[in-house]
Amino acid sequence: MTEHPLALAVNGRERLLADRLIAFEPRRPERAESVVVVGLGYVGLPTACALQSPTAQVTGFDISEDRLRAIKTGEVDLPEPERRALSASLAAGMLELSCDPSVLADADAVIVCVPTPVDAAHKPDLTALRAACETVVSFARRGQVIILTSTTFAGTTRQLLVEPLAQRGLQVGTDVHVAFSPERIDPGNFDHVQRETPRVVGGATAECAERAAEVVRRMTDSVYLVSSPEAAELTKLYENIFRAVNLALANEMADACAVLGLDPIEVTIAAGTKPYGFLGSFPGPGVGGHCIPCDPHYLLWQLGQQGLSTPVIEQAMRSIDRRPGQVVQRVVELLAEAGLDHAGARVLVAGVSYKAGVRDLRESPALPILAGLRRIGIDVHYFDPLLPEITLPDGTRMTSEPAPHGRDWDVAVLHTVHPGVDYGWARECPQVLDATYQFDAVPHRRVL
């Protein structure tokens, strides 16, 4: 390994981090190394693909046979080039798939990538993670490196891996090596590929960190070591809490701009010309995905157990939760301005995934928006070629409109604008609510 210096500005002071940010020289292992990725969802599958190399046998393990069939047939949310590469890897045997947990016993390294959502009360739901870790521990053997990547509260790695392994008689740091390395995957964004994105690693011991870094470096050119799994766990939460607070602020600034008759996108871009001290976000209809709507609640829950209040984070999350309701209210206002009763009005929501260019519906603001519009009697439909069928939280199933005609709708709500999709029909809609703030192809559009 060679040191790789990096200077970061922290609280206005330059800080050299060469002692913890390390770059790895290419090396030739004496034997092929086997890696098992546990969980093949939106994080696990890209992780398994990134780990492939001539010197590593990668196996993807998932308890869902339906998911494994989807991967084998290419029915997964990956860009076309990555989908072709996945197909080639499966055909060549560089990536194997299994629902048999016994594959864990033969692995040199195990990487856990399972979902960690929150329940209806915004409490952490570790059901999948607990089950995965129990399985990993039961098959663990001496010499293995076990890395947890799933976002969670500080102390989880120690609670679900280190302590159970010790109960099995496996000394962490000697017999097995355990670390936490939070995922950093940005779906649909080709500017942030895994190879060029640094990864944080926190080991249960210094040797654990070094051994885990050797595995993680297969996916990235830079690994930053922290002192413990807890430090790495909190790092991930801090990253997403920062984003949540920033997005809540962006939405509030958009509301302020509406009152003042200004364009929030113009103001945000102008503020972003400052080369220091400003990191802006664009407003929108809400916040979706598997990270920002969920992860901050892991810290809020943990600190709540300790009696600590965090008002900035709490207020940001309340603001984020309210945003879809503001979209619903704005639709009602636009209908009233047009002299229409909202009961029975026809409204089309365009784009329902949480992010442009992906088929990911998790925590999408479109779901509470659709449910809210239905609840007040609006005849609501949606259009999204990437998601032909969806299910609302109350179990209602909906099917995407195949070819919308603008004049068929009283209001069109632009929620997610996918690249390569024709939205020309929106110009014919009498009322267009642009919840993205960036769709200027319709001169008569309105914003929140």
Side-chain angles (χ1 to χ4, degrees), residues 170-186:
L170 294 171
Q171 183 65 38
V172 172
T174 304
D175 299 324
V176 292
H177 297 86
V178 176
F180 184 82
S181 179
E183 58 89 5
R184 280 180 172 169
I185 294 175
D186 193 1

Side-chain angles (χ1 to χ4, degrees), residues 351-367:
V352 295
S353 66
Y354 88 91
K355 185 178 184 181
V358 301
R359 292 186 288 173
D360 194 342
L361 194 62
R362 287 175 299 169
E363 306 297 331
S364 172
L367 297 176

Side-chain angles (χ1 to χ4, degrees), residues 138-224:
S138 67
F139 284 94
R141 62 168 175 80
R142 285 175 171 78
Q144 276 188 337
V145 178
I146 303 174
I147 303 170
L148 181 60
T149 72
S150 305
T151 305
T152 185
F153 51 82
T156 303
T157 304
R158 205 169 296 277
Q159 176 187 344
L160 298 187
L161 288 175
V162 175
E163 294 172 3
L165 286 166
Q167 292 172 3
R168 272 203 57 205
L170 294 171
Q171 183 65 38
V172 172
T174 304
D175 299 324
V176 292
H177 297 86
V178 176
F180 184 82
S181 179
E183 58 89 5
R184 280 180 172 169
I185 294 175
D186 193 1
N189 191 337
F190 297 105
D191 293 331
H192 299 150
V193 297
Q194 291 194 68
R195 175 55 57 188
E196 298 171 0
T197 303
R199 290 286 294 270
V200 171
V201 171
T205 67
E207 179 65 19
C208 287
E210 292 286 343
R211 292 286 299 275
E214 288 282 343
V215 178
V216 173
R217 63 94 177 181
R218 294 183 177 276
M219 297 177 281
T220 177
D221 293 330
S222 299
V223 177
Y224 182 74

Side-chain angles (χ1 to χ4, degrees), residues 328 332 342-344 371-378:
V328 173
V332 173
H342 64 266
L373 293 171
R374 281 174 51 85
R375 195 160 42 245
I376 61 175
I378 288 178

